[in-house]
Coordinates of all heavy atoms in Angstrom, one line a residue:
P1 N 0.8 -39.6 -7.2 CA 0.7 -39.0 -5.8 C -0.5 -39.4 -5.1 O -1.6 -39.6 -5.7 CB 0.8 -37.5 -6.0 CG 1.3 -37.3 -7.4 CD 0.9 -38.6 -8.2
V2 N -0.4 -39.6 -3.7 CA -1.5 -40.0 -2.9 C -2.7 -39.1 -3.1 O -3.8 -39.6 -3.1 CB -1.1 -40.2 -1.5 CG1 -2.3 -40.5 -0.6 CG2 0.0 -41.2 -1.3
T3 N -2.5 -37.8 -3.1 CA -3.6 -36.9 -3.2 C -4.3 -36.9 -4.5 O -5.5 -36.5 -4.7 CB -3.1 -35.5 -3.0 OG1 -2.2 -35.1 -3.9 CG2 -2.6 -35.3 -1.6
A4 N -3.7 -37.5 -5.6 CA -4.3 -37.5 -6.9 C -5.0 -38.9 -7.2 O -5.6 -39.0 -8.2 CB -3.3 -37.2 -8.0
Q5 N -4.9 -39.9 -6.3 CA -5.5 -41.1 -6.6 C -7.0 -41.1 -6.4 O -7.6 -40.3 -5.7 CB -5.0 -42.2 -5.6 CG -3.6 -42.6 -5.8 CD -3.1 -43.6 -4.8 OE1 -3.8 -43.9 -3.9 NE2 -1.9 -44.2 -5.1
A6 N -7.7 -41.9 -7.2 CA -9.1 -41.9 -7.2 C -9.6 -42.4 -5.8 O -9.1 -43.3 -5.3 CB -9.7 -42.8 -8.3
G7 N -10.6 -41.7 -5.3 CA -11.2 -42.1 -4.0 C -10.5 -41.6 -2.8 O -11.0 -41.8 -1.7
V8 N -9.4 -40.9 -2.9 CA -8.7 -40.4 -1.8 C -8.9 -38.8 -1.8 O -8.5 -38.2 -2.7 CB -7.2 -40.7 -1.8 CG1 -6.4 -40.0 -0.7 CG2 -7.0 -42.2 -1.9
P9 N -9.6 -38.3 -0.8 CA -9.8 -36.9 -0.8 C -8.5 -36.1 -0.5 O -7.6 -36.6 0.1 CB -10.8 -36.7 0.3 CG -10.6 -37.8 1.3 CD -10.1 -39.0 0.4
P10 N -8.4 -34.8 -0.9 CA -7.2 -34.0 -0.6 C -7.2 -33.8 0.9 O -8.2 -33.9 1.6 CB -7.5 -32.7 -1.4 CG -8.9 -32.7 -1.6 CD -9.4 -34.1 -1.7
P11 N -6.0 -33.4 1.4 CA -5.9 -33.2 2.9 C -6.8 -32.1 3.3 O -7.0 -31.1 2.6 CB -4.4 -32.8 3.1 CG -3.8 -32.7 1.7 CD -4.8 -33.2 0.7
A12 N -7.4 -32.2 4.5 CA -8.3 -31.3 5.0 C -7.6 -30.1 5.6 O -6.4 -30.2 6.0 CB -9.2 -31.9 6.1
G13 N -8.2 -29.0 5.7 CA -7.7 -27.8 6.4 C -7.0 -26.9 5.4 O -6.7 -27.2 4.3
P14 N -6.7 -25.7 5.9 CA -6.0 -24.7 5.0 C -4.6 -25.1 4.8 O -4.0 -25.9 5.5 CB -6.1 -23.4 5.8 CG -6.2 -23.8 7.2 CD -6.9 -25.1 7.2
A15 N -4.0 -24.6 3.7 CA -2.6 -24.9 3.3 C -1.7 -24.2 4.3 O -2.1 -23.1 4.9 CB -2.3 -24.4 1.9
P16 N -0.6 -24.8 4.7 CA 0.3 -24.1 5.6 C 0.8 -22.8 5.0 O 1.0 -22.7 3.8 CB 1.4 -25.1 5.8 CG 1.4 -26.0 4.6 CD -0.1 -26.0 4.2
P17 N 1.0 -21.8 5.9 CA 1.4 -20.5 5.3 C 2.9 -20.6 4.8 O 3.7 -21.4 5.2 CB 1.4 -19.6 6.6 CG 1.5 -20.5 7.7 CD 0.9 -21.8 7.3
G18 N 3.1 -19.8 3.8 CA 4.4 -19.8 3.2 C 5.4 -19.1 4.1 O 5.1 -18.6 5.2
P19 N 6.6 -18.9 3.6 CA 7.6 -18.3 4.4 C 7.3 -16.8 4.7 O 7.7 -16.2 5.7 CB 8.9 -18.4 3.6 CG 8.5 -18.7 2.2 CD 7.2 -19.4 2.3
L20 N 6.6 -16.2 3.8 CA 6.1 -14.8 4.0 C 4.6 -14.7 3.9 O 4.1 -14.4 2.9 CB 6.8 -13.8 3.0 CG 8.3 -13.6 3.2 CD1 8.8 -12.7 2.1 CD2 8.6 -13.0 4.5
A21 N 3.9 -15.0 5.0 CA 2.5 -15.0 5.0 C 2.0 -13.5 5.0 O 2.8 -12.6 5.2 CB 1.9 -15.7 6.2
A22 N 0.7 -13.3 4.8 CA 0.2 -12.0 4.7 C 0.4 -11.1 5.9 O 0.6 -9.9 5.9 CB -1.3 -12.0 4.3
G23 N 0.4 -11.7 7.1 CA 0.6 -11.0 8.3 C 2.0 -10.8 8.8 O 2.3 -10.2 9.8
D24 N 3.0 -11.3 8.0 CA 4.4 -11.3 8.4 C 4.9 -9.8 8.2 O 4.8 -9.2 7.2 CB 5.2 -12.2 7.5 CG 6.5 -12.5 8.0 OD1 7.0 -11.8 9.0 OD2 7.2 -13.4 7.5
P25 N 5.5 -9.3 9.3 CA 6.1 -7.9 9.2 C 7.2 -7.8 8.2 O 7.5 -6.7 7.7 CB 6.5 -7.6 10.6 CG 6.6 -8.9 11.3 CD 5.7 -9.8 10.6
R26 N 7.9 -8.9 7.9 CA 9.0 -8.9 6.9 C 8.5 -8.7 5.5 O 9.3 -8.3 4.6 CB 9.8 -10.2 7.0 CG 10.5 -10.4 8.3 CD 11.2 -11.7 8.4 NE 10.2 -12.8 8.2 CZ 10.5 -14.0 8.0 NH1 11.7 -14.4 7.9 NH2 9.5 -14.9 7.9
L27 N 7.2 -8.9 5.2 CA 6.7 -8.8 3.9 C 6.8 -7.4 3.4 O 7.2 -7.1 2.2 CB 5.2 -9.2 3.8 CG 4.5 -9.2 2.5 CD1 5.2 -10.2 1.6 CD2 3.1 -9.6 2.6
R28 N 6.6 -6.4 4.3 CA 6.7 -5.0 3.9 C 8.2 -4.7 3.5 O 8.4 -4.0 2.5 CB 6.2 -4.1 5.0 CG 6.3 -2.6 4.7 CD 5.7 -1.9 5.9 NE 6.2 -2.4 7.2 CZ 6.9 -1.6 8.1 NH1 7.0 -0.3 7.9 NH2 7.3 -2.2 9.2
W29 N 9.1 -5.2 4.3 CA 10.5 -4.9 4.0 C 10.9 -5.5 2.7 O 11.6 -4.9 1.9 CB 11.4 -5.5 5.1 CG 11.3 -4.8 6.4 CD1 10.5 -3.7 6.7 CD2 11.9 -5.2 7.6 NE1 10.7 -3.4 8.0 CE2 11.5 -4.3 8.6 CE3 12.7 -6.3 8.0 CZ2 11.9 -4.4 9.9 CZ3 13.2 -6.4 9.3 CH2 12.7 -5.5 10.2
W30 N 10.5 -6.8 2.4 CA 10.9 -7.4 1.1 C 10.2 -6.7 0.0 O 10.8 -6.6 -1.1 CB 10.5 -8.9 1.2 CG 11.5 -9.7 1.9 CD1 11.3 -10.3 3.1 CD2 12.8 -10.1 1.5 NE1 12.5 -10.9 3.5 CE2 13.4 -10.8 2.5 CE3 13.5 -9.8 0.4 CZ2 14.7 -11.3 2.4 CZ3 14.8 -10.3 0.3 CH2 15.4 -11.0 1.3
A31 N 9.0 -6.2 0.1 CA 8.3 -5.5 -1.0 C 9.1 -4.2 -1.2 O 9.3 -3.8 -2.4 CB 6.9 -5.2 -0.6
R32 N 9.5 -3.5 -0.2 CA 10.3 -2.3 -0.4 C 11.6 -2.5 -1.0 O 12.0 -1.8 -2.0 CB 10.5 -1.6 1.0 CG 11.3 -0.3 1.0 CD 11.4 0.2 2.4 NE 12.2 1.4 2.4 CZ 13.5 1.5 2.6 NH1 14.1 0.4 2.9 NH2 14.1 2.6 2.6
R33 N 12.3 -3.6 -0.6 CA 13.6 -3.9 -1.2 C 13.4 -4.3 -2.6 O 14.2 -3.9 -3.5 CB 14.2 -5.0 -0.4 CG 15.6 -5.4 -0.8 CD 16.2 -6.3 0.2 NE 16.4 -5.6 1.5 CZ 16.3 -6.2 2.7 NH1 16.1 -7.5 2.8 NH2 16.4 -5.5 3.8
G34 N 12.4 -5.1 -3.0 CA 12.1 -5.5 -4.3 C 11.8 -4.3 -5.2 O 12.2 -4.2 -6.4
G35 N 11.0 -3.3 -4.7 CA 10.7 -2.1 -5.4 C 11.9 -1.3 -5.7 O 12.1 -0.8 -6.9

């Protein structure tokens, strides 16, 4: 993979948020439903 080649730095910046990021209001619903 390009990011693992010698001499090529990993992409800059934070990773893109997942489908349920920490500030997502649906996270509380999914946690409740999972519980």
Side-chain angles (χ1 to χ4, degrees):
V2 173
T3 58
Q5 289 180 348
V8 177
L20 289 176
D24 193 349
R26 296 176 298 168
L27 184 62
R28 183 176 45 124
W29 294 355
W30 281 106
R32 179 178 179 267
R33 187 169 296 148

